[in-house]
Amino acid sequence: MHHTTATGIASPNIAFIKYWGNRDEALRLPANGSISMNLAGLHTRTQVTFDPALRADSLLLNQVEQSGPALERVSRFLDQVRRMAGSQNRARIVSENNFPTGAGIASSAAAFAALSLAASAAAGLQLSEPELSRLARLGSGSAARSVPGGFVEWQPGSGDVDSYAFSIAAPGYWDLVDCIAIVEAGHKPVGSTQGHALAGTSPLQAARVADSARRLEACRRAILERNFADFAAIVEEDSNLMHAVMMTSHPALFYWSPASLLVMKTVREWREDQIPVCYTLDAGPNVHVLTLTDHAPQVVQALEDLPGVAQVLTAAPGGPAQLAHA
Ligand code: DP6
């Protein structure tokens, strides 16, 4: 057998209704469903080459050869692909992000979505979109949502087979823009994988999960009706709920920096002044400020003027993960 190669491209996504906590850590079956939007223009491009001559998997990420936990996580993921394909071959993985490294938006979602497409194709597997989303989920939960395009919902499912994500609206359905306020981060936050494992130690997590069907319904409806006011209310509520769980887990996780809080408070003032704008934060200090196309230039300018905001990136709704041809 000769070597076989394929390249996958995927965007990160921003969650409007958050995934936080697993009912099964190994299979990454989430405690609750989630909804997100892919981020156009930002992407990870990953080439996988299976080669019988290789003695071990290797990973070159943004020109830097990886070892330790990053390589082990990817290698365990490839074991899954090898099991599915009935292959023993080791792989060379070369991956690049086009977004600034060190800006705190290093994304396991884009990484494992791109890797799922590339590795399955290179191994000769022909997987459907739900199968690719399930595979990506095993690498990183949020990666399940970077497989389909546009606005996406990840259903928690009853088990491995039906826990995958699907599009609820195409990228062009609503002209939302994510203005990502990159905040000067003081310290490296606790990674999401460790964070998920702590979710159940917060007394607030059970209430957050029990109420998730209501929030999913409200968010899905606001997107489908393109109702920004309803969207803003549920997105901020859901982000605040997740951060309340983080702050009350044992040990407590505080992802906000002073600049994050300044952005959040300012966004609320802008909304009172009738600007369609709202915020959401993942497991880090950067603030994703959502608005509509017509207001994006003004929002970006105003964010850049806030103290503690180092840079603002913008992204419209993005397409699905894809194989690169040639
Ligand atoms: C706060 O998908 O990064 O961004 O499955 O351990 O890789 P792992 O976690 P990950 O968790 C994402 C958490 C979040 C919310 C979200 O994207 O839904």
Side-chain angles (χ1 to χ4, degrees), residues 10-14 37-40 42-44 99 105 107 109-110 146:
S11 293
N13 65 75
I14 178 63
M37 172 184 112
N38 285 348
L39 301 177
L42 307 180
H43 55 250
T44 300
F99 36 86
I105 56 167
S107 169
S146 278

Side-chain angles (χ1 to χ4, degrees), residues 177-247:
V177 181
D178 183 10
C179 308
I180 312 167
I182 308 292
V183 160
E184 291 140 342
H187 56 97
K188 200 175 154 52
V190 174
S192 353
T193 303
Q194 283 171 274
H196 288 296
L198 297 175
T201 67
S202 164
L204 305 184
Q205 172 71 347
R208 181 188 158 277
V209 171
D211 177 58
S212 60
R214 176 191 67 88
R215 298 193 307 281
L216 287 161
E217 163 67 19
C219 183
R220 198 187 301 123
R221 180 193 295 253
I223 291 168
L224 294 178
E225 293 177 352
R226 305 183 184 91
N227 181 329
F228 196 92
D230 287 358
F231 177 76
I234 201 66
V235 166
E236 288 191 1
E237 180 182 353
D238 191 85
S239 176
N240 294 344
L241 266 172
M242 180 182 72
H243 285 272
V245 167
M246 291 162 160
M247 289 175 197

Side-chain angles (χ1 to χ4, degrees), residues 24-289:
D24 182 319
E25 301 279 353
L27 287 175
R28 288 188 158 83
L29 298 176
N32 59 274
S34 52
I35 293 179
S36 61
M37 172 184 112
N38 285 348
L39 301 177
L42 307 180
H43 55 250
T44 300
R45 183 186 182 95
T46 301
Q47 181 182 49
V48 176
T49 305
F50 284 106
D51 188 338
L54 293 172
R55 290 174 50 215
D57 295 324
S58 65
L59 169 62
L60 186 72
L61 179 56
N62 297 320
Q63 325 269 18
V64 181
E65 201 61 49
Q66 305 290 308
S67 60
L71 176 60
E72 284 159 27
R73 184 172 179 179
V74 160
S75 204
R76 270 201 311 277
F77 178 82
L78 289 179
D79 287 342
Q80 182 65 32
V81 176
R82 283 186 277 258
R83 261 194 299 278
M84 292 166 76
S87 161
Q88 307 280 337
N89 290 345
R90 305 287 120 181
R92 172 66 170 160
I93 303 170
V94 179
S95 188
E96 301 268 349
N97 297 326
N98 78 338
F99 36 86
T101 45
I105 56 167
S107 169
S108 62
F112 281 98
L115 183 59
S116 295
L117 267 80
S120 59
L125 296 167
Q126 291 196 334
L127 302 183
S128 65
E129 185 182 272
E131 288 169 332
L132 285 165
S133 176
R134 284 170 50 203
L135 176 61
R137 191 199 76 226
L138 298 172
S140 174
S142 56
R145 297 190 313 245
S146 278
V147 171
F151 299 86
V152 172
E153 179 161 357
W154 173 16
Q155 60 186 11
S158 56
D160 171 60
V161 174
D162 58 352
S163 188
Y164 58 83
F166 48 87
S167 292
I168 57 173
Y173 186 81
W174 197 16
D175 64 334
L176 279 184
V177 181
D178 183 10
C179 308
I180 312 167
I182 308 292
V183 160
E184 291 140 342
H187 56 97
K188 200 175 154 52
V190 174
S192 353
T193 303
Q194 283 171 274
H196 288 296
L198 297 175
T201 67
S202 164
L204 305 184
Q205 172 71 347
R208 181 188 158 277
V209 171
D211 177 58
S212 60
R214 176 191 67 88
R215 298 193 307 281
L216 287 161
E217 163 67 19
C219 183
R220 198 187 301 123
R221 180 193 295 253
I223 291 168
L224 294 178
E225 293 177 352
R226 305 183 184 91
N227 181 329
F228 196 92
D230 287 358
F231 177 76
I234 201 66
V235 166
E236 288 191 1
E237 180 182 353
D238 191 85
S239 176
N240 294 344
L241 266 172
M242 180 182 72
H243 285 272
V245 167
M246 291 162 160
M247 289 175 197
T248 51
S249 65
H250 304 271
L253 302 176
F254 283 81
Y255 287 106
W256 299 351
S257 73
S260 316
L261 187 58
L262 175 68
V263 174
M264 287 186 260
K265 294 183 82 164
T266 308
V267 162
R268 291 171 61 107
E269 286 167 17
W270 292 340
R271 196 159 68 249
E272 277 171 23
D273 294 338
Q274 308 309 315
I275 298 167
V277 66
C278 67
Y279 64 76
T280 186
L281 291 87
D282 283 341
N286 295 333
V287 187
H288 294 254
V289 178

